[in-house]
Amino acid sequence: QVQLVESGGGLVQAGGSLRLSCVASTLAFGSYGLAWFRQAPGKEREFVAAISWSGGIQYYDDSVKGRFTISRDNGRNTVYLQMNSLKPEDTAVYYCAADTQGHLTKASYSAREYEHWGQGTQVTVSS
């Protein structure tokens, strides 16, 4: 069973920054595609960013392009989400997800693609 544990969420003012981390418990981490999703109250879970197994390819939702950066450290079994210029509309629970298919495809934008999920970390951006 793969466990994913997120950390780094919190309360920040608009315009501020946070860095989320997600540590995985699997030795196969380096072969997985990874992603961040988020879910605001009353809304469906939505794609934020994804990164291929090598880290060479990243996908972003248009709403976060230029503000968020996804990265990974396979030696530390960790994926990161650096979030800058945060806006109140970024407020949500952020989830880390892992896909045993390490290459990114169109399906990587869909939550259905991912077999393993973390418990989530709350990000709140005040105006």
Side-chain angles (χ1 to χ4, degrees):
Q1 180 72 15
V2 176
Q3 288 189 322
L4 302 173
V5 180
E6 302 98 334
S7 62
L11 173 64
V12 64
Q13 288 188 334
S17 299
L18 284 174
R19 188 175 82 154
L20 305 183
S21 300
C22 173
V23 180
S25 65
T26 175
L27 293 178
F29 180 86
S31 66
Y32 285 9
L34 300 166
W36 290 94
F37 285 77
R38 66 186 180 187
Q39 188 167 18
K43 295 187 176 182
E44 293 187 356
R45 192 168 297 191
E46 65 177 12
F47 173 83
V48 175
I51 190 166
S52 63
W53 67 274
S54 67
I57 298 174
Q58 304 91 39
Y59 289 174
Y60 294 96
D61 183 76
D62 286 346
S63 65
V64 306
K65 276 182 184 175
R67 300 189 298 122
F68 290 11
T69 302
I70 188 170
S71 62
R72 65 189 295 162
D73 183 341
N74 288 344
R76 296 177 181 270
N77 276 22
T78 303
V79 59
Y80 304 98
L81 185 69
Q82 177 66 44
M83 305 186 294
N84 299 329
S85 302
L86 282 161
K87 304 175 181 180
E89 51 263 45
D90 294 318
T91 295
V93 177
Y94 283 70
Y95 297 92
C96 169
D99 177 11
T100 55
Q101 204 291 103
H103 298 283
L104 299 189
T105 68
K106 289 181 180 179
S108 300
Y109 290 93
S110 171
R112 292 190 298 272
E113 180 71 5
Y114 298 87
E115 297 95 334
H116 307 290
W117 292 83
Q119 82 289 349
T121 185
Q122 176 70 47
V123 171
T124 303
V125 184
S126 64
S127 57

